[in-house]
Amino acid sequence: MPKNDKLKKILVIGSGPIVIGQAAEFDYAGTQACQALKEEGVEVVLINSNPATIMTDTNMADKVYIEPITLEFVTAIIRQERPDGLLPTLGGQTGLNMAVELARAGVLKSENVKLLGTQLESIEKAEDRDLFRELMRELDQPVPESAIITSVEEAMGFASGIGYPLIVRPAYTLGGTGGGICDNEEELRETVKAGIRYSPIGQCLVEKSIAGMKEVEYEVMRDANDNCIVVCNMENFDPVGVHTGDSIVVAPSQTLSDREYQMLRSASLKIIRALNIEGGCNVQFALDPQSYQYYVIEVNPRVSRSSALASKATGYPIAKMAAKIALGYTLDEIVNPVTGQTYACFEPTLDYIVSKIPRWPFDKFISANRKLGTQMKATGEVMAIGRTFEESIHKAIRSLEIGVHRFRLPGAELLEESVLRYRLAKPDDERLFLIAEAFRRGYELQEIQDITNVDWWFLSKIEGLVSFEEEIRGEETLSAEILYQAKRKGFTDRAIAEIRAEGRPGGAFTKESEVRVMRLQQGLVPVFKMVDTCAAEFEASTPYYYSTYETENEVIHSDKQKVIVLGSGPIRIGQGIEFDYSTVHAVWAIQKAGYEAVIINNNPETVSTDFNTSDRLYFEPLFFEDVMNVIAQENPIGVIVQFGGQTAINLAAPLAAAGVNILGTSLESIDEAENRKKFEALLARLDIAQPKGKTVINIDEAVETAQALGYPVLVRPSYVLGGRAMEIVYNDTELLSYMVEAVKVNPEHPVLIDRYMLGKEVEVDAICDGETVVIPGIMEHVERAGVHSGDSIAVYPPQYLDEGLKQKISEITIKIAKELKTIGLVNIQFVIYQNEVYVIEVNPRSSRTVPFLSKVTGIPMANLATKIILGGKLKEDGYTEGLWPESDYVSVKVPVFSFAKLRRVEPTLGPEMKSTGEVMGRDKLYAKALYKGLIGAGMKIPATGAIIVTVADKDKAEAVELMKGFHAMGYKIIATGGTAAALEQAGLNVMNVNKLDEGEPTILDLIRGGQANFVFNTLTKGKTPERDGFRIRREAVENGVVCMTSLDTVTALLIMLQTINFSSESMPAFVGQ
Amino acid sequence: MQARLLLQDGTLFTGTAFGAEGEKTGEVVFNTGITGYQEVLSDPSYCGQIVTMTYPLIGNYGITRDDFESVRPFVHGFVVRRHESVPSNWRAEYSVDDLLKEYDIPGISEIDTRMLTRIIRHYGTMKAILTTSNKRVEELMEMMGDTTIEQLRNQVARTSTTTTYSSPGHKERIVLVDYGAKTGILRELNSRGCDVVVVPHDVTADEIRRLNPDGIQLSNGPGDPKDVPYAVQTISELLGEYPIFGICLGHQLFALACGADTEKLKFGHRGGNHPVKELESGRCFITSQNHGYTVNEESVVNTDLEVTHINNNDKTVEGLKHTRYPAFSVQYHPEAAPGPHDSSYLFDRFLELIAEHKANQPAGSRQAQLAANARITAPKPSAPQLEAVKGAL
């Protein structure tokens, strides 16, 4: 069917900020969709609140709105733009929910906007539990038996008919609070009782447990002509019970026979047809490993995380096809862009195995509950491709960058037997490695299967790899045959050397370099094969490759000069989508400069790993050996490391040592910025102030230093990423506990102690070509120093900095950039304390704020930096030294957190970064921009309501002043003991509420009961208050109540509210009366 | 143990042996299915071929008694990147290795099967020899040369049933002509209640008439349709008399019987992801395919045939129907196994065609048919065949 010509203008809704469960995959999907729509001559209007995305670049759509994705704002845009159609299926759950809201509010009808892709009725059928079950019954598709109950008796009644195990899910609680699996009557009684209490409506869903079954997913597409295809199927390593986003996944399925495969395929097609979806859809199944019995677990009537994975796993561009289908095209008439000669109506077939492993934030959130269950916890994921499972999974492991690069988890050998068993049975993020440990301890495969329910096939592979280690270390010297086999199984040179060293320390081939030399002498190098959607049946021209130890190399050589850009790997806290944004811009700039741009990356969610982003994409681990293999293949003029975050920066030294040309800022300069001693010397040389501090290598020295500097002090380990393990301590006790519990301190791992100054934080990104330094803008943080810059609200242009300070900041930036001989980007963080400017940190690379600053200043920073790196000069492009003129608009960057999904994580802002994403608010007025930012970040900010205040003693005076403002606007103030007294004393009307130990109803009941709109709580040190404060904050984030833990944020909120709301004041009395 | 695969063009792959020891020559082809290796191995249409699977891990879910598409595999060799010797599936009974050993089929693993596929794609299907011996390459080349195409032919006779047998049902009587039929066809017909009589490839028209069928199903089978001219003859005699449905080789034979021509494809279609467009509705179906020959599109022009389906990628003929008689055929496998079940509706369509045909018969035609049968003077069936027919009835 040809394109629907009535659709001339289409509104695309993005997915908003990155949160757990909704990450970069929607930037990839949205970008592809916008490109596909524009290709067809459709005018594209885009709304997304997330500035760190490629899709919100102004060249991606005809009109880009970086505004909150709320009914209010989207409606306004619809009224303004009058689009013919709305495409909501590429913006994740956010996009879909928005479409439902718009439809229900009657906006689509009144403005005559056609809903494209999936109809409202289908969305409801897929999303509403009851409608979904009804549909499945109609289709004769099995779903687990369940019942909605409001009493223990009802639950018992259901159980007597179904049997155990059962899953209890309390209604409307986040993160599965109060639910769980019950194996017997006693457990059920207890869980249901608790569940009813936790549920605000006193209701639980009791469901037959299918935990332990195989979990299989199908990615399906359908067009208006009812043509249906399966793009990919995937099998989870982890059985049902672990959220699919937290599961290790392989594509295609490995243990399904054709009958099972086709049975589930047919079911998927039946479902997508019944839902009448025009576009992509994802169907999740549970399959009994002992019969043909299966259950439909879930259907996503839209492009999803799994679609992004399926796209990258097969090469089939799902989002692009979904966009074309939305325009009315049918699959059989859309050319498969991968082959260029066949059509999109076919089912991709793989001739490799894809492994996906989630990347969890537990390295940042040490206190978090690592156990994996029905609530997703991963922030990102890695994907790897190999010709065997062993090769593929090995690559995936070393792509994770978690300090484990093979099947050996440091310290696993020390685990007690009971702990090991427990952790095998109750999966957490490290189970993959613990399975290997169990094999090392001599567990039988059957035993491990009984404990884990992981399929025999996967377990036998791990067993094989563990036992192959014996062969690697078996002989005195490393034989060519063993080396060959090891490489085919995905062992790196480093792994081989380490394994040999375990068996015979100091023996032959126990150093990576030795293994590498031997391997190269034997000419044992990997070849690169193409991901072509068709297993080589048709000639393809996609430049999408993976390495493997096979015979034929498929990379086609070109005579053009090449530049390699290292990507940033999986999304994690501190290294998010912002780096992918810069990577993509770098690629574009390289191409424009006349070179071929080559990307190495392993994140399936990103735009950088789209096959048509670069000239050649190598889907490989960002691991020394893998990167070297690509370099050997491509022979580039150099490698750019400054856009791939710390991942790429960390590779600079080993690559340079291996003779690779690092383009841009030199390795020496990188080291000068990152090495504490050299950095101190640099600042001293330039006469630039920095907070006093010292590097210590033992505990005594730490205490001594802290006392000399004066408390509070900021302590952190030496090489940092996103403020990991950084803390502010106020006294000796706190310092000692940090030194003992949080870090390992020794001469190799020194700890830095800095004087902590409670000043204003300011951040700058600059571009330097060695001669000229351009500063696109200065960003002022709302929260004072002590809150990680990634977690602060940043404002551009600064609202509270005078010209003198701006001048000073510019001067320092220019000095540092020049002294470091920066070629490209540099990020500098300052603290302004008592009108003095101090430098806290210099990052000789592209930073998190580059996309934001690029967008608000209009300077394409990553692009420009790449030009410079390739030899261009800023002056040639008309840039002059210094601070770029400030914009008339105010933009704020507001961090977004995923606390509700991570139980036990402390929501207080501190020096450790905790946010997962960001949104932008932009307006002519600061207050309005801030409003948009906060609303966009998901906060509900009513003009009237109740505020709970409990602050530390040191904050009371400040809090009282602030609360006067809220009080004047008519907000109801609720407080506990001390805070209440302080507020009352100031003449405010306060409702006193019980602390946790003062008897019910306590402050928690109030929050749970929805009686508060805001919680302002600052951290009080000390055991009980700390624990109580934690519970208050957790209760707030879990109930979706706005929780502010810094009075600076509260101040900003107050200013905003005062500006946009009216407050009433009685008339002043006559003078003299 | 080492195994080698030597191609006609001199390319030599050295890998690891599995399955039986020995040496086999065959035409080397590739199949792109990810699942379904057991069905592929036991699909008689692969008779005489050395099959390579493009999916690298083969054997993951083992071999089960339920998934055979014929009583035994007829392939001459099996080529995989990795043979998974320890299967994991609740139905798995033994491994691919066991199966190949049982039927004396050599296998080779640990070779770059993607490279092999690319060679076939580029140069077309070719002869190859798969060996576990240590013979010199020159010697192997010679042996390959000695194996004439004729020796590789005659596959239909090798795979077809030699006797007629019945698979009873209570509805339409279907005569299934077995040119190397997959069990799936029988399964689909039986599942619709059909009373199926399976007859050998060299059955005559009169033998079929005597079975008094409601419809005739022409099965798939191996090789070049022009190697079985007698089958073409039989089909042309029955055209118009009974509703006919041809699958794969049966489709090609039907085309030849109607005066169209067939030709060899460069490397064929083998896999479960081939898009076929139904011209009438404009809809596309993902189909299971296994064929090296195709009906020449131009040759259809001056016949009573109409092209009903085409391959959406290379636009080759995928389905035909007779413009005057109740007869149609498809190049792909509506019985799936392995592959998608999207096209099983074609069996329903066949039964509808039979019903229509019956309804259109003028009154008393049954009597006329009997009279016609009585006039049959064709050679008498041999005694065992008669026995079988009786048994079937």
Side-chain angles (χ1 to χ4, degrees):
Chain A
M1 239 179 278
K3 189 179 113 192
N4 179 352
D5 283 328
K6 285 187 188 136
L7 299 171
K8 293 197 164 49
K9 193 178 198 177
I10 292 181
L11 176 68
V12 175
I13 304 181
S15 69
I18 306 286
V19 289
I20 287 175
Q22 200 161 276
E25 62 269 18
F26 297 107
D27 185 28
Y28 163 63
T31 301
Q32 255 197 7
C34 288
Q35 283 171 334
L37 295 176
K38 280 188 84 172
E39 222 172 80
E40 297 296 335
V42 172
E43 193 181 341
V44 182
V45 179
L46 170 73
I47 173 164
N48 194 355
S49 54
N50 186 348
T53 51
I54 287 289
M55 75 189 293
T56 51
D57 269 354
T58 44
N59 58 343
M60 282 296 141
D62 296 279
K63 290 253 179 75
V64 174
Y65 289 90
I66 305 185
E67 299 283 349
I69 306 175
T70 60
L71 185 61
E72 180 192 1
F73 283 95
V74 180
T75 303
I77 290 167
I78 288 178
R79 299 224 160 102
Q80 196 175 330
E81 292 288 343
R82 311 221 159 258
D84 304 306
L86 167 66
L87 188 55
T89 51
L90 297 149
Q93 200 59 39
T94 303
L96 214 54
N97 290 350
M98 196 65 249
V100 172
E101 265 191 78
L102 287 166
R104 288 196 181 143
V107 177
L108 299 184
K109 203 172 169 201
S110 72
E111 303 305 319
N112 203 13
V113 182
K114 190 172 186 274
L115 193 55
L116 305 174
T118 305
Q119 295 314 302
L120 184 66
E121 198 196 352
S122 311
I123 299 174
E124 285 169 341
K125 273 186 187 167
E127 304 267 314
D128 181 283
R129 195 178 278 275
D130 283 336
L131 291 176
F132 179 69
R133 299 178 77 84
E134 197 180 304
L135 177 72
M136 290 305 115
R137 260 196 300 277
E138 273 168 38
L139 299 177
D140 208 14
Q141 293 299 321
V143 283
E145 292 91 339
S146 69
I148 289 165
I149 55 101
T150 51
S151 70
V152 174
E153 290 66 40
E154 281 177 83
M156 291 300 156
F158 175 73
S160 65
I162 298 294
Y164 295 90
L166 291 169
I167 297 181
V168 177
R169 301 180 204 273
Y172 297 101
T173 62
L174 276 159
T177 314
I181 296 182
C182 309
D183 289 318
N184 53 51
E185 199 180 312
E186 195 184 330
E187 283 178 23
L188 183 68
R189 200 173 282 281
E190 219 166 275
T191 315
V192 168
K193 221 167 117 190
I196 290 172
R197 201 175 59 233
Y198 278 114
S199 166
I201 56 166
Q203 191 189 75
C204 293
L205 179 91
V206 185
E207 192 177 72
K208 182 191 162 99
S209 168
I210 47 171
M213 286 193 171
K214 284 183 191 183
E215 188 162 343
V216 184
E217 273 186 78
Y218 280 69
E219 287 298 319
V220 203
M221 296 212 79
R222 178 178 172 274
D223 64 27
N225 206 14
D226 206 22
N227 296 323
C228 289
I229 60 155
V230 167
V231 175
C232 183
N233 92 326
M234 296 174 258
E235 180 174 356
N236 291 7
F237 173 94
D238 301 286
V240 176
V242 175
H243 190 286
T244 186
D246 274 352
S247 296
I248 296 167
V249 175
V250 298
S253 62
Q254 299 298 327
T255 65
L256 268 58
S257 68
D258 190 62
R259 277 201 196 194
E260 291 154 323
Y261 178 98
Q262 302 300 344
M263 172 177 79
L264 298 182
R265 178 186 176 280
S266 298
S268 311
L269 264 46
K270 210 170 173 180
I271 292 168
I272 193 174
R273 287 196 162 115
L275 287 174
N276 208 21
I277 290 165
E278 290 167 24
C281 168
N282 157 272
V283 187
Q284 291 166 26
F285 296 102
L287 176 65
D288 180 3
Q290 295 304 329
S291 76
Y292 287 120
Q293 177 67 54
Y294 70 87
Y295 295 101
V296 180
I297 306 176
E298 193 182 306
V299 174
N300 285 307
R302 55 174 170 87
V303 170
S304 63
R305 178 180 348 93
S306 299
S307 325
L309 181 63
S311 285
K312 299 292 163 73
T314 59
Y316 190 97
I318 295 178
K320 187 175 181 158
M321 296 302 132
K324 301 243 170 181
I325 289 171
L327 284 181
Y329 286 109
T330 52
L331 286 162
D332 55 298
E333 58 189 9
I334 308 171
V335 170
N336 175 359
V338 174
T339 62
Q341 48 172 334
T342 56
Y343 291 84
C345 192
F346 83 115
E347 299 195 344
T349 185
L350 314 189
D351 57 3
Y352 46 81
I353 295 89
V354 168
S355 305
K356 171 210 110 176
I357 307 182
R359 177 67 159 80
W360 289 279
F362 304 132
D363 53 337
K364 295 280 180 197
F365 298 137
I366 298 161
S367 66
N369 181 349
R370 310 176 82 118
K371 227 188 273 174
L372 303 178
T374 47
Q375 170 63 59
M376 179 171 168
K377 294 179 176 176
T379 53
E381 61 193 36
V382 297
M383 183 185 108
I385 312 174
R387 288 271 285 170
T388 59
F389 173 74
E390 291 87 342
E391 185 175 60
S392 176
I393 195 84
H394 257 141
K395 279 183 172 185
I397 289 171
R398 57 183 188 267
S399 297
L400 284 170
E401 295 174 63
I402 52 168
V404 183
H405 61 101
R406 58 188 177 104
F407 273 94
R408 182 175 276 283
L409 179 72
E413 68 280 3
L414 304 173
L415 286 180
E416 268 179 50
E417 202 67 22
S418 58
V419 175
L420 179 67
R421 269 179 183 276
Y422 176 82
R423 292 183 61 192
L424 286 174
K426 307 276 179 198
D428 58 36
D429 57 314
E430 293 175 336
R431 181 161 75 168
L432 184 66
F433 307 105
L434 297 182
I435 289 172
E437 175 61 23
F439 279 120
R440 284 197 188 96
R441 292 190 190 183
Y443 281 53
E444 292 293 326
L445 201 161
Q446 186 61 57
E447 194 178 359
I448 298 178
Q449 196 191 12
D450 292 343
I451 302 173
T452 63
N453 275 320
V454 172
D455 194 278
W456 181 281
W457 193 84
F458 295 113
L459 294 177
S460 76
K461 298 288 157 204
I462 299 173
E463 184 182 35
L465 287 172
V466 170
S467 65
F468 190 75
E469 290 182 357
E470 286 306 317
E471 299 199 36
I472 292 176
R473 63 171 87 92
E475 292 160 48
E476 201 65 47
T477 184
L478 184 61
S479 75
E481 179 56 27
I482 291 292
L483 179 62
Y484 173 71
Q485 281 188 36
K487 296 315 281 186
R488 298 257 283 183
K489 289 181 193 295
F491 287 93
T492 56
D493 296 343
R494 182 170 157 200
I496 293 168
E498 281 183 13
I499 290 164
R500 288 188 57 82
E502 280 164 14
R504 35 188 93 240
F509 300 105
T510 51
K511 285 200 203 88
E512 179 180 0
S513 56
E514 287 175 282
V515 179
R516 182 172 170 80
V517 167
M518 170 180 172
R519 179 168 66 76
L520 294 178
Q521 274 168 359
Q522 290 179 358
L524 192 53
V525 291
V527 298
F528 293 91
K529 299 225 175 263
M530 197 187 270
V531 173
D532 62 5
T533 72
C534 61
E537 183 171 6
F538 304 102
E539 212 162 314
S541 48
T542 42
Y544 175 5
Y545 297 99
Y546 67 95
S547 71
T548 182
Y549 282 83
E550 290 265 25
T551 316
E552 188 187 38
N553 191 15
E554 294 177 25
V555 177
I556 301 152
H557 268 282
S558 88
D559 295 331
K560 267 175 127 180
Q561 287 195 311
K562 302 160 192 96
V563 175
I564 292 182
V565 186
L566 300 185
S568 55
I571 303 259
R572 65 206 94 161
I573 288 174
Q575 191 164 303
I577 186 176
E578 301 85 359
F579 295 90
D580 202 67
Y581 175 88
S582 297
T583 305
V584 171
H585 274 267
V587 164
W588 290 340
I590 291 166
Q591 290 172 329
K592 206 161 173 216
Y595 300 94
E596 277 188 0
V598 177
I599 282 189
I600 309 176
N601 202 359
N602 50 45
N603 185 343
E605 305 173 310
T606 57
V607 178
S608 73
T609 52
D610 192 356
F611 70 82
N612 61 14
T613 294
S614 56
D615 289 294
R616 267 185 302 290
L617 162 66
Y618 288 89
F619 219 103
E620 291 289 306
L622 287 159
F623 191 80
F624 174 71
E625 181 174 330
D626 302 278
V627 171
M628 283 306 289
N629 286 336
V630 176
I631 290 171
Q633 172 67 41
E634 288 287 342
N635 193 22
I637 60 165
V639 175
I640 299 182
V641 298
Q642 58 177 268
F643 299 110
Q646 209 61 33
T647 298
I649 288 284
N650 290 347
L651 278 164
L655 290 180
V660 175
N661 182 24
I662 304 295
L663 296 172
T665 307
S666 72
L667 190 63
E668 294 71 41
S669 298
I670 294 174
D671 193 46
E672 203 166 4
E674 299 225 320
N675 180 299
R676 175 77 182 191
K677 274 222 170 96
K678 291 183 187 172
F679 181 61
E680 272 172 17
L682 174 95
L683 291 188
R685 201 158 70 233
L686 297 174
D687 199 19
I688 295 168
Q690 67 168 325
K692 284 207 172 57
K694 206 183 159 197
T695 306
V696 299
I697 53 169
N698 60 51
I699 293 176
D700 290 345
E701 212 184 334
V703 176
E704 210 174 285
T705 305
Q707 284 170 353
L709 291 171
Y711 286 103
V713 292
L714 185 70
V715 278
R716 56 180 158 159
S718 40
Y719 260 63
V720 296
L721 169 68
R724 178 176 172 181
M726 205 191 285
E727 216 172 277
I728 296 162
V729 294
Y730 290 82
N731 50 49
D732 284 354
T733 326
E734 285 175 25
L735 177 67
L736 285 172
S737 99
Y738 173 85
M739 296 301 287
V740 175
E741 285 160 25
V743 289
K744 270 180 234 156
V745 59
N746 56 45
E748 270 134 70
H749 301 99
V751 166
L752 313 178
I753 301 188
D754 287 324
R755 189 174 150 217
Y756 168 56
M757 292 183 288
L758 192 67
K760 175 179 285 300
E761 272 209 54
V762 167
E763 188 168 355
V764 158
D765 284 297
I767 310 161
C768 174
D769 58 10
E771 296 158 15
T772 314
V773 181
V774 173
I775 306 166
I778 298 175
M779 289 159 283
E780 179 183 27
H781 291 182
V782 163
E783 288 82 4
R784 277 167 285 185
V787 173
H788 189 280
S789 65
D791 285 353
S792 303
I793 296 175
V795 184
Y796 166 87
Q799 302 294 302
Y800 304 99
L801 280 189
D802 61 39
E803 283 308 315
L805 283 171
K806 286 186 200 168
Q807 191 56 38
K808 186 90 205 266
I809 289 164
S810 297
E811 279 165 18
I812 294 175
T813 303
I814 292 167
K815 265 202 230 171
I816 292 178
K818 285 189 177 166
E819 184 68 14
L820 276 176
K821 300 184 195 70
T822 305
I823 306 292
L825 285 163
V826 61
N827 165 272
I828 307 178
Q829 300 188 15
F830 302 89
V831 61
I832 297 166
Y833 187 63
Q834 295 171 345
N835 236 26
E836 192 64 47
V837 179
Y838 298 84
V839 169
I840 322 177
E841 200 176 306
V842 173
N843 294 304
R845 55 169 170 83
S846 174
S847 77
R848 196 178 302 115
T849 43
V850 163
F852 171 74
L853 203 55
S854 297
K855 275 175 187 160
V856 301
T857 61
I859 298 177
M861 294 165 63
N863 209 298
L864 190 58
T866 307
K867 248 178 164 176
I868 302 308
I869 290 166
L870 296 173
K873 291 289 170 199
L874 286 163
K875 284 196 173 132
E876 288 167 15
D877 276 25
Y879 289 96
T880 51
E881 181 145 292
L883 185 60
W884 193 252
E886 283 177 1
S887 155
D888 291 340
Y889 277 81
V890 182
S891 301
V892 297
K893 188 185 78 133
V894 178
V896 175
F897 302 85
S898 304
F899 292 135
K901 312 226 157 115
L902 295 161
R903 293 174 74 183
R904 301 216 305 242
V905 168
E906 167 62 76
T908 296
L909 299 186
E912 278 228 47
M913 183 162 162
K914 293 174 176 174
S915 62
T916 50
E918 68 199 41
V919 293
M920 179 170 123
R922 178 174 175 270
D923 211 291
K924 284 207 159 156
L925 283 178
Y926 169 54
K928 282 188 167 185
L930 189 60
Y931 176 77
K932 285 180 176 181
L934 298 178
I935 294 292
M939 294 185 194
K940 289 181 204 79
I941 302 178
T944 60
I947 301 170
I948 292 181
V949 202
T950 63
V951 294
D953 288 340
K954 66 176 166 60
D955 297 323
K956 290 222 161 82
E958 197 182 341
V960 166
E961 284 313 304
L962 287 169
M963 294 323 291
K964 280 182 186 168
F966 286 98
H967 191 261
M969 281 187 286
Y971 286 92
K972 189 172 157 192
I973 314 285
I974 306 169
T976 54
T979 312
L983 291 167
E984 271 163 5
Q985 211 170 9
L988 301 184
N989 205 343
V990 181
M991 175 184 157
N992 216 310
V993 63
N994 284 352
K995 284 186 179 165
L996 271 56
D997 54 1
E998 293 172 351
E1000 291 184 1
T1002 68
I1003 187 166
L1004 294 187
D1005 296 307
L1006 232 59
I1007 298 171
R1008 218 175 283 149
Q1011 292 168 56
N1013 304 91
F1014 302 91
V1015 170
F1016 301 154
N1017 174 279
T1018 61
L1019 192 67
T1020 307
K1021 293 263 175 174
K1023 259 194 173 150
T1024 311
E1026 210 169 328
R1027 196 181 57 223
D1028 288 357
F1030 173 74
R1031 287 179 64 189
I1032 294 167
R1033 293 184 288 273
R1034 284 302 313 175
E1035 203 62 50
V1037 298
E1038 281 171 26
N1039 284 283
V1041 174
V1042 175
C1043 176
M1044 293 185 171
T1045 62
S1046 158
L1047 291 183
D1048 298 331
T1049 326
V1050 175
T1051 308
L1053 176 72
L1054 178 64
I1055 293 169
M1056 181 205 86
L1057 288 171
Q1058 283 173 334
T1059 314
I1060 64 170
N1061 291 336
F1062 291 98
S1063 64
S1064 303
E1065 274 175 58
S1066 60
M1067 294 298 291
F1070 287 116
V1071 179
Q1073 280 195 347
Chain B
M1 188 172 45
Q2 181 186 285
R4 287 173 300 160
L5 176 72
L6 178 65
L7 307 188
Q8 198 173 9
D9 72 354
T11 313
L12 179 71
F13 290 91
T14 305
T16 306
F18 73 111
E21 285 179 39
E23 221 150 54
K24 283 262 172 75
T25 306
E27 186 184 37
V28 62
V29 296
F30 64 84
N31 181 296
T32 60
I34 291 173
T35 54
Y37 54 80
Q38 181 177 350
E39 291 89 336
V40 166
L41 278 169
S42 59
D43 176 352
S45 298
Y46 287 102
C47 177
Q49 292 175 328
I50 293 172
V51 180
T52 182
M53 300 300 291
T54 60
Y55 187 65
L57 310 185
I58 297 297
N60 296 4
Y61 54 84
I63 298 288
T64 166
R65 61 178 192 188
D66 300 333
D67 290 353
F68 282 105
E69 278 303 306
S70 67
V71 291
R72 58 156 295 164
F74 293 96
V75 302
H76 276 196
F78 201 42
V79 184
V80 300
R81 163 63 179 84
R82 171 74 165 272
H83 165 241
E84 296 287 350
S85 53
V86 186
S88 171
N89 186 283
W90 61 287
R91 295 191 301 145
E93 281 156 85
Y94 47 99
S95 70
V96 173
D97 182 56
D98 297 332
L99 178 75
L100 297 187
K101 282 200 171 86
E102 188 181 344
Y103 291 101
D104 198 28
I105 300 163
I108 180 171
S109 69
E110 300 295 323
I111 69 159
D112 190 342
T113 47
R114 182 169 163 95
M115 176 181 173
L116 174 61
T117 304
R118 278 162 54 94
I119 291 172
I120 299 169
R121 174 185 90 206
H122 199 77
Y123 300 101
T125 41
M126 60 181 89
K127 265 198 294 186
I129 187 163
L130 175 52
T131 181
T132 56
S133 74
N134 295 320
K135 291 192 181 108
R136 292 188 351 259
V137 169
E138 295 75 23
E139 200 178 338
L140 292 170
M141 268 304 203
E142 232 165 79
M143 291 173 65
M144 197 183 343
D146 288 346
T147 318
T148 60
I149 285 297
E150 276 61 45
Q151 277 169 293
L152 290 177
R153 281 185 172 171
N154 182 29
Q155 298 115 307
V156 169
R158 280 168 58 196
T159 54
S160 170
T161 176
T162 51
T163 58
T164 297
Y165 63 94
S166 165
S167 181
H170 60 284
K171 290 187 179 167
E172 297 85 349
R173 159 86 46 87
I174 307 292
V175 164
L176 168 59
V177 188
D178 178 3
Y179 303 114
K182 281 168 67 189
T183 312
I185 299 175
L186 186 59
R187 193 165 49 230
E188 288 292 331
L189 291 171
N190 275 151
S191 75
R192 286 167 175 77
C194 295
D195 185 28
V196 186
V197 183
V198 187
V199 298
H201 63 106
D202 52 359
V203 68
T204 66
D206 282 345
E207 282 163 357
I208 289 179
R209 287 187 183 109
R210 252 190 294 276
L211 291 168
N212 190 22
D214 295 314
I216 300 169
Q217 173 84 60
L218 309 175
S219 85
N220 65 298
D224 186 343
K226 289 175 185 167
D227 289 346
V228 280
Y230 51 86
V232 175
Q233 177 59 34
T234 306
I235 296 165
S236 61
E237 281 177 44
L238 296 167
L239 256 182
E241 216 169 304
Y242 303 98
I244 293 176
F245 176 23
I247 292 174
C248 200
L249 182 69
H251 153 83
Q252 294 160 4
L253 295 172
F254 168 66
L256 290 173
C258 296
D261 197 11
T262 56
E263 64 195 7
K264 190 165 185 175
L265 289 166
K266 189 174 175 190
F267 54 86
H269 297 160
R270 291 176 187 86
N273 66 344
H274 294 267
V276 165
K277 188 182 249 183
E278 190 178 69
L279 295 175
E280 197 183 352
S281 64
R283 281 190 55 190
C284 242
F285 298 90
I286 302 300
T287 66
S288 171
Q289 303 210 354
N290 171 20
H291 62 107
Y293 293 83
T294 184
V295 173
N296 178 300
E297 196 195 342
E298 284 160 31
S299 75
V300 176
V301 176
N302 293 320
T303 66
D304 287 330
L305 294 174
E306 184 187 311
V307 176
T308 55
H309 295 78
I310 57 164
N311 185 302
N312 197 50
N313 282 338
D314 64 10
K315 312 296 178 202
T316 52
V317 176
E318 293 281 5
L320 292 167
K321 81 172 181 202
H322 204 282
T323 50
R324 291 185 293 135
Y325 300 137
F328 71 103
S329 64
V330 289
Q331 181 62 76
Y332 49 97
H333 292 270
E335 79 282 9
H341 299 161
D342 298 8
S343 298
S344 64
Y345 74 96
L346 288 171
F347 291 102
D348 300 320
R349 194 169 279 184
F350 181 39
L351 297 182
E352 284 161 22
L353 193 67
I354 289 171
E356 273 170 42
H357 179 71
K358 268 189 183 167
N360 290 340
Q361 294 294 305
S365 69
R366 171 84 184 145
Q367 209 53 46
Q369 188 69 50
L370 281 175
N373 283 356
R375 285 195 298 275
I376 294 170
T377 51
K380 281 200 182 319
S382 63
Q385 267 175 339
L386 262 187
E387 281 308 303
V389 172
K390 274 182 200 156
L393 297 173

